Amino acid sequence: MITQGVKITTRCEACGGVLMRDTGQFIDRGRLWWGTEGTCLACPVAWCEQDFGDATPEEIRQALLMEHGSARLRLTEPEASAVPVLRALREVHGLSLAQARAMTDELKTTGLVGTFVEMELVASWLRQHSVGVAVETSSA
């Protein structure tokens, strides 16, 4: 399982104490999941939530990007046929053909940028379609 997370300390809105949040993204059964849980160290406030889909809450994405930096997905053979790339991008994101073409152009030139987990998910779909790709992290 591919996963990435971050621990965040904030103020509890209920009591003003220290609230510990553990949040992140992961891939399970070919889907992008996100989750967050929180526990106040001073009062009984606690929760856990998890969901899947293309739309990870922006607060979670930004926390991951701030902590770990972005990842860039690149084609290892930029001159390869666009057909399997288009098919994979449409399948993973549910894109229209026009949207998939725009994303394919971006992938062939500058690469796609997002969280590590997001880029690994797209990379896995591309690899299933025999498209050579590499995920580069900002720490690499």
Side-chain angles (χ1 to χ4, degrees), residues 33-44:
W33 288 77
W34 61 268
T36 189
E37 60 184 65
T39 305
C40 180
L41 302 179
C43 76

Side-chain angles (χ1 to χ4, degrees), residues 42-118:
C43 76
V45 167
W47 78 94
C48 179
E49 60 182 317
Q50 178 175 301
D51 204 352
F52 65 89
D54 275 344
T56 297
E58 196 58 28
E59 178 182 1
I60 293 174
R61 289 188 80 252
Q62 291 306 314
L64 291 169
L65 291 168
M66 286 180 62
E67 178 75 15
H68 302 287
S70 61
R72 185 175 303 273
L73 176 64
R74 294 188 187 273
L75 294 174
T76 56
E77 298 174 22
E79 59 284 336
S81 170
V83 173
V85 176
L86 289 166
R87 183 174 293 137
L89 292 175
R90 291 188 73 192
E91 288 173 3
V92 71
H93 288 302
L95 302 174
S96 69
L97 185 56
Q99 292 169 318
R101 280 187 182 132
M103 191 175 271
T104 297
D105 290 343
E106 187 178 349
L107 181 59
K108 285 186 168 201
T109 55
T110 60
L112 300 178
V113 177
T115 67
F116 175 72
V117 175
E118 292 164 348

